[in-house]
Amino acid sequence: MVNVLYYEILITLVTVVIVICSVAIFLSVRFQKKNNKKYNDLVKLLSEKENVTFELKNGMTKEEINQINPNIDVDSLITNLCNIYMDFESHVSDMNTDFDNILTGMLKEFYINKLESFKLKNYKEVKNEIDLIKYFIEEYSNDTIKFKVNINCFNYKLENNIIVSGSNLNKKEQVIELIYKNVSGKWLISAYDIVYEKELCD
């Protein structure tokens, strides 16, 4: 009688363990399937977005700028801002520390010190064959302008005339945010920030 009771208890315990294990396995498989689906959806989304070009929103209109300052020729202003930016990139690539009509404030001091340091290390950062894709004034006041430029370019670093970073074969797309300050009637760059960068395929 005792043996029969013992076997019944044992069978009951084994059955309970099997049921618990089965439920655990079922829940685990279900959880794994959900995770796999999320992962696959994410991979699909990333692959769809991989070759999407960064899109800039349009900036202020001529009318909006002229409401703030009716004496401004907006087209000439934008051309001037682009030229100053291009001069800046040219100066950095040519290791030219004369930023008097290009930069102002701490940014000017930073790039002078940076290029002087590069010269001592025989180091150089080059950005050339710049294609201006899009550019616009994002914010305007009589003292400050926030300006965005979208470019394609070669961007690489040299050490002892050997490329150590970047490429002179494949271009990059960059979106750069610039802050200009009005200094004695001249617009000079006071802040420079690459807000987006992507390698372009052949």
Side-chain angles (χ1 to χ4, degrees):
M1 186 72 179
V2 174
N3 285 341
V4 172
L5 185 60
Y6 171 77
Y7 284 121
E8 286 179 353
I9 293 171
L10 184 61
I11 290 168
T12 303
L13 286 173
V14 169
T15 304
V16 169
V17 169
I18 291 171
V19 169
I20 290 172
C21 289
S22 299
V23 170
I25 291 169
F26 171 77
L27 292 174
S28 175
V29 169
R30 190 175 174 187
F31 179 76
Q32 189 64 39
K33 280 183 178 179
K34 277 180 113 175
N35 276 354
N36 286 342
K37 185 178 184 304
K38 285 182 181 179
Y39 174 78
N40 290 332
D41 289 345
L42 180 61
V43 169
K44 183 180 177 183
L45 180 63
L46 290 175
S47 65
E48 287 173 353
K49 297 291 183 183
E50 185 177 6
N51 294 317
V52 173
T53 303
F54 186 87
E55 291 186 6
L56 286 174
K57 294 179 180 178
N58 290 323
M60 296 179 70
T61 64
K62 292 181 185 181
E63 291 74 20
E64 288 171 334
I65 294 170
N66 282 139
Q67 281 178 359
I68 299 169
N69 187 342
N71 299 317
I72 289 288
D73 180 337
V74 178
D75 290 332
S76 295
L77 174 62
I78 289 175
T79 298
N80 184 39
L81 298 177
C82 285
N83 288 338
I84 294 168
Y85 162 69
M86 295 293 281
D87 284 346
F88 165 73
E89 296 291 11
S90 176
H91 273 57
V92 172
S93 294
D94 294 339
M95 303 290 283
N96 183 349
T97 56
D98 181 11
F99 292 110
D100 282 352
N101 293 309
I102 301 171
L103 304 181
T104 188
M106 293 179 64
L107 189 70
K108 180 179 178 180
E109 298 303 317
F110 171 79
Y111 271 96
I112 290 172
N113 293 333
K114 180 178 180 178
L115 294 187
E116 292 295 348
S117 174
F118 279 4
K119 289 175 184 178
L120 293 173
K121 298 173 183 176
N122 206 10
Y123 194 80
K124 188 176 183 180
E125 183 171 2
V126 178
K127 185 179 287 187
N128 58 20
E129 295 194 31
I130 297 172
D131 303 317
L132 281 167
I133 308 301
K134 190 173 184 179
Y135 42 87
F136 58 82
I137 293 172
E138 192 169 47
E139 295 176 15
Y140 175 88
S141 76
N142 290 324
D143 299 319
T144 306
I145 293 174
K146 183 186 285 188
F147 192 63
K148 273 207 173 81
V149 291
N150 182 195
I151 65 169
N152 290 344
C153 64
F154 292 112
N155 190 195
Y156 52 93
K157 296 179 176 69
L158 297 168
E159 188 170 3
N160 297 315
N161 292 319
I162 297 170
I163 294 177
V164 293
S165 175
S167 169
N168 63 350
L169 299 175
N170 293 322
K171 283 193 168 185
K172 286 182 178 178
E173 178 187 9
Q174 293 180 340
V175 176
I176 300 161
E177 183 176 275
L178 303 157
I179 304 294
Y180 290 78
K181 295 287 185 184
N182 191 335
V183 180
S184 303
K186 292 183 178 179
W187 289 106
L188 304 177
I189 301 170
S190 65
Y192 173 100
D193 186 25
I194 298 174
V195 296
Y196 173 83
E197 187 171 56
K198 177 185 175 183
E199 295 282 348
L200 296 175
C201 299
D202 292 333

